[in-house]
Amino acid sequence: MKPPTCSSIYLLFVLIPTVISHNYSDALKKSILFFEGQRSGYLPREQRMTWRRDSALNDGQNLNADLVGGYYDAGDNVKFHFPMAFSATMLAWSAVDFGSYMSPADLRENLVALRWGTDYLLKTVSHLRNLIFVHVGEVEKDHQCWQRPEDMGTPRTAYAVETQYPASDLAGEITAAFAAASIAFKRYDPSYAQRLLKNALTTFKYANSHRGSYTNNTLVKLAVCPFYCSVNGYGDELLWGAAWLRRATSKASYIKYLVDNRHSLGADFNYYEFGWDNKVGGVNVLVAKEAFEKNVPEIAPYRDTAEQMMCAYFPETAGPHMTYTPGGLLYKPGSNILQNTVALSFLLLTYAGYLSKSSQQLHCGSVKIHPESLRHLAKRQVDYILGDNPMKMSYMIGYGNHYPRKIHHRGASSPSIATHPKAIKCLEGWNIFASPKPDPNILVGAVVGGSNVDDKFVGGRKNASETEPTTYINAPFVGLLAYFNANKKISMIGRLSFVKQKQIVYIRA
């Protein structure tokens, strides 16, 4: 039989059963478990990743504050509140939109991971009349050492912005985290949900009334940049915070805010991006939900922009396009490729849900795309990460048999206190870093940076862009895995193989 043309792939819905090749349930559980390996502070008795122990128990003392807890964002021992807040927002969004696909046990663990983050973030705004806390730890000194968190001898300096000055991006993301989490907890812990929402409202008031970026503060900029500078500005976080407050409260005032500030705060600028720095793609998709479900005409431009973004995923449509590796990975340049892949795939799957619930298709000029096509593309990304890639490598640690064994992570690469009670000194740790031996501790569920634009993966602790995990990769991955675990036997329009970035070839399922 002659293969269908590229355009007919989108227009003719051929039902072919997907081959179930991955244990999404296992991957989901492990993706959530990863967060236990990133915990800072006093660890609870029910800690399952037992090679970790208490760490950083004096954080915040230099500012007379309690900043014990939270998450280390990646493979070092610094706590950056901007990406931590984004991770919390995405764990919450995973629970809100995909929690119904999780088992009660998985949803519980997801909410536990979320609360570990939001409990800490509440501390960062606890002095909001005077300060908003930005991060803990001196990055350069931390990076001069290779130490497990339990042995840290580097300064734990806490940094803050005085609230007479702006930090709209940080405060806007914390607003989003609180508002989204308030929805996630509303059914299970109403009083905690109310506390989160109350703090979201006060944090947003500060963010909006003192407009500007937190990295415009000279001291903060020196401490945070170039690691988590707010390159995209603060406008997207203000819209992001307002969008989540609208969803949490249903108040019309937030619709007005989104309409009045859409252009000035950049909702139609750089909207093909989504991640810890740029929230524009997420804003447009999140607000588009209202246009689908409640037919609010004033916010139609958000949906229009979201549709343009969705069309860009498909190379046969007109206009700008996303980029794919020869092996089919959704690729955006950056220090960590999979952070972009996972976040953008989350939006793809979310928007597919909006289309399905409203019995609509994606309209890209003359091309109509069924929502299942969006799901299959998102699934392709998930499967690539789990091992369906040219390297046959699982980029989730502890999933499958072939995954990176030497990752850029201080805790995983160092012997645990149980096996090596003596403290590992700063420079002594570099012998561990250089060791050819595999990590003694398995950071189960961690999704590392992944392959490069040519689908190649070199690996090794020195190759941080490929082997360093982050909380903001795993957080949206939770939602993706929850959906595909519950929808294993979905139909598909063949398998799409991406060749030379823009050409789609139909091959047999």
Side-chain angles (χ1 to χ4, degrees):
M1 184 177 102
K2 183 180 178 181
T5 63
C6 291
S7 59
S8 64
I9 287 176
Y10 304 119
L11 295 171
L12 300 179
F13 197 64
V14 182
L15 302 180
I16 306 174
T18 302
V19 176
I20 303 170
S21 57
H22 287 292
N23 187 338
Y24 299 114
S25 175
D26 182 52
L28 171 60
K29 295 177 190 303
K30 289 176 176 176
S31 187
I32 299 170
L33 178 59
F34 156 75
F35 286 90
E36 293 192 12
Q38 298 301 111
R39 284 173 170 171
S40 181
Y42 293 98
L43 303 187
R45 285 180 297 177
E46 58 271 22
Q47 171 84 7
R48 295 171 295 169
M49 207 168 281
T50 55
W51 53 267
R52 282 296 324 281
R53 300 292 172 88
D54 298 345
S55 63
L57 303 182
N58 297 310
D59 282 2
Q61 281 192 353
N62 69 298
L63 294 177
N64 296 315
D66 173 14
L67 293 176
V68 177
Y71 289 114
Y72 304 114
D73 72 291
D76 54 17
N77 299 323
V78 182
K79 296 188 299 194
F80 294 97
H81 301 168
F82 192 30
M84 190 192 303
F86 177 71
S87 300
T89 305
M90 295 310 296
L91 278 173
W93 199 354
S94 291
V96 171
D97 273 17
F98 300 105
S100 61
Y101 298 112
M102 299 182 195
S103 69
D106 289 338
L107 179 58
R108 178 190 176 279
E109 294 301 338
N110 184 56
L111 293 177
V112 167
L114 171 58
R115 184 158 185 163
W116 191 273
T118 52
D119 278 352
Y120 179 80
L121 291 170
L122 286 168
K123 295 181 179 184
T124 70
V125 297
S126 61
H127 297 65
L128 200 56
R129 289 184 179 180
N130 303 303
L131 299 170
I132 181 169
F133 297 102
V134 173
H135 86 271
V136 180
E138 296 188 15
V139 185
E140 293 296 339
K141 292 182 179 179
D142 180 90
H143 286 187
Q144 289 171 7
C145 298
W146 192 264
Q147 289 178 291
R148 57 194 181 192
E150 295 81 1
D151 291 336
M152 277 186 289
T154 52
R156 299 299 295 170
T157 307
Y159 294 83
V161 172
E162 295 180 11
T163 49
Q164 61 183 310
Y165 302 109
S168 299
D169 32 22
L170 174 60
E173 185 57 67
I174 293 175
T175 297
F178 288 160
S182 75
I183 303 170
F185 282 107
K186 188 173 183 178
R187 177 181 174 186
Y188 305 100
D189 192 339
S191 62
Y192 185 64
Q194 189 58 39
R195 181 187 175 196
L196 290 169
L197 184 56
K198 180 180 178 181
N199 277 272
L201 294 169
T202 56
T203 305
F204 185 73
K205 182 178 180 181
Y206 159 67
N208 190 47
S209 61
H210 296 72
R211 292 190 177 188
S213 173
Y214 86 115
T215 50
N216 285 344
N217 181 290
T218 303
L219 181 61
V220 169
K221 184 174 183 178
L222 289 173
V224 173
C225 296
F227 306 100
Y228 291 106
C229 290
S230 183
V231 177
N232 199 56
Y234 64 87
D236 52 331
E237 278 82 24
L238 286 176
L239 294 173
W240 183 234
W244 276 110
L245 282 170
R246 162 63 184 179
R247 189 157 178 186
T249 66
S250 299
K251 288 186 177 180
S253 59
Y254 294 111
I255 290 291
K256 186 176 187 305
Y257 183 94
L258 289 164
V259 171
D260 292 347
N261 292 278
R262 178 181 175 276
H263 182 72
S264 63
L265 294 180
D268 53 0
F269 173 74
N270 202 16
Y271 53 82
Y272 297 104
E273 306 281 344
F274 184 52
W276 64 263
D277 181 36
N278 186 335
K279 314 305 185 318
V280 178
V283 169
N284 286 315
V285 169
L286 182 62
V287 179
K289 178 180 173 66
E290 297 254 2
F292 278 109
E293 296 181 356
K294 299 180 181 179
N295 195 25
V296 182
E298 299 94 327
I299 58 174
Y302 282 95
R303 175 180 170 174
D304 294 342
T305 307
E307 291 244 326
Q308 292 177 48
M309 180 187 190
M310 292 299 120
C311 291
Y313 286 85
F314 295 91
E316 288 304 301
T317 62
H321 296 113
M322 301 290 185
T323 304
Y324 296 88
T325 68
L329 181 69
L330 180 60
Y331 172 83
K332 285 277 186 181
S335 60
N336 186 308
I337 293 175
L338 291 186
Q339 65 172 297
N340 297 309
T341 303
V342 173
L344 291 169
S345 298
F346 185 97
L347 295 186
L348 194 65
L349 185 63
T350 301
Y351 203 80
Y354 299 163
L355 289 169
S356 291
K357 288 177 182 178
S358 59
S359 300
Q360 296 186 45
Q361 293 183 331
L362 179 64
H363 291 263
C364 304
S366 60
V367 178
K368 296 179 181 179
I369 303 175
H370 195 282
E372 283 296 271
S373 295
L374 279 68
R375 293 189 181 97
H376 297 140
L377 184 51
K379 183 178 182 296
R380 174 73 185 97
Q381 306 310 306
V382 170
D383 290 348
Y384 184 107
I385 292 168
L386 295 181
D388 287 358
N389 55 67
M391 298 295 294
K392 304 301 180 185
M393 170 78 73
S394 167
Y395 296 118
M396 173 181 279
I397 305 304
Y399 177 84
N401 297 318
H402 187 43
Y403 55 84
R405 304 285 175 159
K406 292 178 286 184
I407 66 173
H408 189 91
H409 191 276
R410 285 158 173 78
S413 64
S414 305
S416 68
I417 287 179
T419 61
H420 191 286
K422 185 180 178 181
I424 299 171
K425 297 180 180 179
C426 171
L427 298 181
E428 181 186 352
W430 289 110
N431 293 326
I432 295 171
F433 176 82
S435 171
K437 295 180 180 179
D439 297 333
N441 308 307
I442 306 300
L443 189 61
V444 176
V447 180
V448 296
S451 57
N452 62 22
V453 68
D454 296 316
D455 300 300
K456 298 289 191 270
F457 181 83
V458 177
R461 297 184 191 104
K462 294 180 180 179
N463 198 348
S465 63
E466 292 185 0
T467 65
E468 187 169 23
T470 69
T471 56
Y472 44 87
I473 298 178
N474 272 66
F477 205 47
V478 169
L480 287 160
L481 290 168
Y483 179 84
F484 291 117
N485 179 47
N487 295 273
K488 299 181 181 73
K489 295 183 179 180
I490 59 175
S491 301
M492 70 180 296
I493 311 167
R495 293 197 177 192
L496 300 183
S497 174
F498 289 81
V499 181
K500 297 180 180 179
Q501 298 180 354
K502 290 189 177 181
Q503 179 185 2
I504 295 183
V505 179
Y506 180 91
I507 62 177
R508 294 180 64 185

